[in-house]
Amino acid sequence: MPRIHCLNNISAKGTDQLPDGYELVDGLDSADGVLVRSAQLHDTEFPASLLAIARAGAGVNNIPLDRCAEEGIVVFNTPGANANAVKELVIAGLLLGSRGIVAGADWVRENADDPDVAKSAEKAKKAYAGREILGKKLGVVGLGAIGALVANAAIDLGMDVYGYDPFVSVDAAWRLSKDVHHVTDLDKLCAECDYITIHVPAMDSTKGMIGAAQIGAMKSDAVLLNFSRNTLVDEEALVEALATDKLGRYITDFANPTILKAAADKAIVLPHLGASTAEAEENCAVMAVREIVDFIENGNITNSVNFPAVNLGPRPAAGQRVAIAHKNVPGVINAITEAIAAHGHNLANILSKARGDFAFTLIDIDDQFGADAVEKMQARESVIRARVI
């Protein structure tokens, strides 16, 4: 009976997807799978039973990916499941950055005891005047699931949209409106657009990608929006630009003491609300559960962040399937298949994919694996984990 442990509150819409025979357990010690949202796992010791961790969300900076790969634990995320929720908040951010909505609402609240507040507001409102986004240029940095939705929505709102993503996939390109201008120079996008919004994952290669050069190229009344990750923007350059009126405004979903202390009057900081909708939490939970069940039952990997995608469909009705996590080194596949053949098994199907230093192989045979065959595979130095399904 597969055992699943939830490290955070996971929507029942997701856990209800667990098939009969699965058990939700209170502890990690004997779990086969883990569902997690924001709990920090870097200092967590994982049990030998743990096969997979599914993050109900996109970001996985709370999970030790390399260590999990070394232990043969497949880590999943749920890209796109919360994309609409983030898109809607980004559109709200565009409006917050173009009009004096927050400051105006604060003024009304502060003058709530004034019996003539309506009359006073008519005089005060000029201080909170803004501009319309219709016809303005929006630069979208990153055209994945969220970036594509933002770009398309902005087109519908009448904006002139420019997209930058040197690694845009074919699927993402199909999702984009034909009216989005594709640009290949990030600095040029920053210089020409009235609004710039960032939608790239947080990695070593993207840390500080909006740096002093990019911020310095922006218009003095430009609005920079960051609903991806705090580390993508150079804080020092950002604070300097806001303090010297070389940048109009910063809208972010990440509470940051540096920004709050140094540039609170030029920034609107939200408490990480991007995916905080009931619908997004449900979508993420459902996707996470389906990924982890498919892996436990069939060995298939979809949306993993530390192992390659492999899919042989449902496990064979007759015979068995073995799922093997191993190092991406020469000779491993030959050694595995030779070991299977040496035990008299016939290979009905095989699929092997690699990702960086690690690889994953699925093999179907027509009969039943002998216990010693799997033990011999597991004993090989380059094999991290072998599991018969």
Side-chain angles (χ1 to χ4, degrees):
M1 175 183 291
R3 294 149 297 184
I4 306 298
H5 176 57
C6 298
L7 280 166
N8 297 105
N9 290 327
I10 302 296
S11 169
K13 284 281 186 74
T15 54
D16 286 348
Q17 299 286 319
L18 290 170
D20 292 341
Y22 280 69
E23 180 185 4
L24 285 172
V25 294
D26 293 332
L28 178 63
D29 293 349
S30 62
D32 300 288
V34 163
L35 296 169
V36 63
R37 291 175 61 195
S38 59
Q40 291 294 326
L41 298 178
H42 286 277
D43 295 327
T44 301
E45 183 176 345
F46 302 120
S49 63
L50 189 62
L51 301 173
I53 298 171
R55 160 79 165 97
V60 289
N61 54 332
N62 58 321
I63 303 171
L65 302 182
D66 290 341
R67 178 159 66 90
C68 285
E70 292 283 356
E71 295 179 24
I73 300 169
V74 179
V75 179
F76 300 92
N77 69 345
T78 58
N82 60 14
N84 185 71
V86 179
K87 176 209 74 177
E88 290 186 2
L89 193 63
V90 173
I91 298 303
L94 283 172
L95 299 173
L96 292 176
S98 62
R99 308 286 290 272
I101 298 170
V102 174
D106 287 344
W107 181 92
V108 173
R109 189 178 298 108
E110 291 164 3
N111 290 273
D113 295 331
D114 181 358
D116 294 321
V117 64
K119 185 175 180 180
S120 300
E122 290 301 317
K123 296 179 181 178
K125 70 180 183 181
K126 64 180 68 176
Y128 309 112
R131 62 182 180 182
E132 299 178 15
I133 63 174
L134 180 68
K136 302 301 188 299
K137 292 183 178 181
L138 171 66
V140 181
V141 181
L143 296 169
I146 296 172
L149 286 178
V150 170
N152 292 346
I155 289 288
D156 292 338
L157 290 170
M159 300 189 79
D160 191 16
V161 180
Y162 295 77
Y164 169 83
D165 191 335
F167 307 107
V168 63
S169 68
V170 173
D171 288 342
W174 277 111
R175 290 194 297 264
L176 279 175
S177 166
K178 62 180 177 57
D179 295 318
V180 176
H181 309 290
H182 184 225
V183 298
T184 58
D185 188 328
L186 178 58
D187 291 357
K188 185 177 180 181
L189 178 146
C190 290
E192 293 185 357
C193 290
D194 305 296
Y195 301 83
I196 298 97
T197 181
I198 315 165
H199 300 287
V200 298
M203 303 183 294
D204 289 341
S205 59
T206 60
K207 184 176 181 180
M209 70 176 294
I210 305 297
Q214 289 72 38
I215 294 172
M218 295 177 189
K219 299 177 180 180
S220 60
D221 61 348
V223 177
L224 176 62
L225 300 97
N226 181 6
F227 288 81
S228 288
R229 280 293 180 269
N230 217 30
T231 56
L232 302 174
V233 179
D234 183 315
E235 287 184 358
E236 185 176 338
L238 175 64
V239 168
E240 172 67 18
L242 291 171
T244 57
D245 294 326
K246 293 180 180 177
L247 181 65
R249 188 165 287 181
Y250 182 57
I251 317 294
T252 183
D253 202 22
F254 305 98
N256 181 308
T258 302
I259 301 301
L260 290 170
K261 292 177 182 178
D265 60 327
K266 300 290 289 293
I268 295 176
V269 182
L270 304 177
H272 204 187
L273 298 178
S276 295
T277 68
E279 294 88 348
E281 291 181 8
E282 290 172 358
N283 292 340
C284 288
V286 167
M287 184 182 289
V289 168
R290 289 177 177 173
E291 290 168 347
I292 212 166
V293 168
D294 192 23
F295 177 68
I296 289 174
E297 296 191 355
N298 301 305
N300 296 325
I301 298 177
T302 305
N303 297 324
S304 172
V305 292
N306 65 342
F307 277 97
V310 292
N311 194 320
L312 271 183
R315 67 182 184 275
Q320 286 185 320
R321 173 174 295 173
V322 63
I324 308 162
H326 57 91
K327 297 291 183 66
N328 181 23
V329 295
V332 177
I333 303 301
N334 285 341
I336 291 171
T337 55
E338 286 173 4
I340 293 173
H343 282 75
H345 300 304
N346 179 52
L347 272 67
N349 211 347
I350 182 170
L351 179 63
S352 183
K353 295 288 183 68
R355 178 174 181 170
D357 294 333
F358 300 95
F360 206 91
T361 299
L362 295 177
I363 298 174
D364 290 343
I365 65 168
D366 293 330
D367 52 359
Q368 303 292 305
F369 278 101
D372 57 339
V374 178
E375 289 174 2
K376 287 181 178 179
M377 279 189 280
Q378 181 72 62
R380 293 185 176 275
E381 183 179 354
S382 298
V383 172
I384 302 169
R385 180 179 303 202
R387 173 173 66 101
V388 174
I389 302 172

